[in-house]
Amino acid sequence: MRTKLFFLLGIVTMLCSCDTRKTLDEQRYSFCIFQYVNEADSNLIITGNSELPFSNGMGVINGIYNYPKRYRNEPYFGSGRWARNPEKYTFDICELATEEKLLPLHGNYYTYFPYTTLSGEGSMVVVRNGSWEQVCDTNPLDLPILGDANSLYKEIRVFKIRSMERLTKKTRTEMTIDDIEQAVNKVIDEGKLDKYSIKVSAISVSEE
């Protein structure tokens, strides 16, 4: 009897630990899309809410993450490559004045690419009364705050990593933004967003 009890406890413990790993994995790896309330506001500067706006990271310049910069010809999820090669994956925030920051998807949805952390995380980010073209000519933290950055978005959706792997038929270490873009556009076109993604109240940023 005691042997059976220990066996059952071992099974339960193993299952619980697997569930924990699965939850942590889904928090770390995800893909976020959104629609704007007003697309004209997509050019407004987004920063942290203070001079120390983020709880972690390699670098913050004037309230804006300057990493990671992702590349189309590489896997979207990187397993810490930013730390191993900071010269390649960090960027000068002056790039944000001239380079594309949004990847348009079908159905008036967008995602941030290649500067995926511009959205920050949750309520830690605010929208400023200034355009990205000004980002090199002023300190963004000196610009007036218009409100919570998440107020820019009419709808925000998150695809968990297991959904992305099913849709792209590739693992997280293989799928590129092109794979993701094709899969997400197909889901939008087929009206299956509720099946593969969930609505959330704030932008989420994948760690990798």
Side-chain angles (χ1 to χ4, degrees):
M1 182 66 182
R2 181 175 296 178
T3 302
K4 288 183 178 180
L5 180 60
F6 283 136
F7 176 76
L8 289 173
L9 286 173
I11 293 294
V12 170
T13 300
M14 183 176 66
L15 291 174
C16 288
S17 63
C18 288
D19 287 343
T20 301
R21 286 196 297 271
K22 178 180 177 181
T23 300
L24 291 173
D25 202 38
E26 290 185 348
Q27 289 175 348
R28 288 181 61 201
Y29 301 96
S30 62
F31 184 75
C32 191
I33 67 173
F34 49 84
Q35 292 176 321
Y36 284 101
V37 174
N38 183 351
E39 291 194 12
D41 292 338
S42 63
N43 200 38
L44 293 173
I45 291 176
I46 296 172
T47 74
N49 202 7
S50 70
E51 292 184 2
L52 297 172
F54 305 112
S55 60
N56 61 355
M58 289 165 53
V60 180
I61 300 175
N62 291 342
I64 300 170
Y65 268 134
N66 70 330
Y67 83 100
K69 182 176 183 179
R70 302 180 193 256
Y71 294 88
R72 277 194 173 270
N73 62 342
E74 295 184 0
Y76 184 87
F77 302 104
S79 299
R81 57 189 164 192
W82 334 119
R84 294 195 300 272
N85 192 353
E87 289 187 4
K88 180 177 181 179
Y89 296 106
T90 56
F91 57 90
D92 189 320
I93 64 168
C94 287
E95 289 184 35
L96 304 178
T98 57
E99 298 301 313
E100 290 293 328
K101 293 162 284 293
L102 292 168
L103 175 65
L105 302 166
H106 293 184
N108 296 319
Y109 284 95
Y110 294 87
T111 191
Y112 286 105
F113 187 86
Y115 312 102
T116 53
T117 51
L118 290 186
S119 54
E121 189 75 52
S123 60
M124 296 172 66
V125 289
V126 294
V127 59
R128 303 273 178 173
N129 189 17
S131 65
W132 283 115
E133 285 82 358
Q134 300 172 267
V135 75
C136 269
D137 302 324
T138 186
N139 183 343
L141 293 175
D142 292 337
L143 297 172
I145 294 175
L146 297 178
D148 185 327
N150 288 301
S151 65
L152 293 173
Y153 312 113
K154 178 170 66 175
E155 182 178 295
I156 304 170
R157 286 183 171 270
V158 169
F159 290 80
K160 298 297 185 182
I161 188 60
R162 282 167 178 76
S163 292
M164 293 311 310
E165 289 177 328
R166 286 196 296 271
L167 290 167
T168 63
K169 296 180 174 59
K170 292 188 176 181
T171 68
R172 70 203 63 184
T173 59
E174 297 172 329
M175 69 180 76
T176 66
I177 187 62
D178 291 331
D179 298 320
I180 295 171
E181 181 181 5
Q182 182 178 357
V184 170
N185 279 335
K186 183 178 180 182
V187 168
I188 294 170
D189 293 344
E190 294 177 352
K192 295 181 179 178
L193 278 172
D194 287 336
K195 179 177 180 180
Y196 292 106
S197 67
I198 57 172
K199 286 185 180 181
V200 295
S201 60
I203 291 281
S204 63
V205 179
S206 178
E207 285 186 14
E208 302 289 354

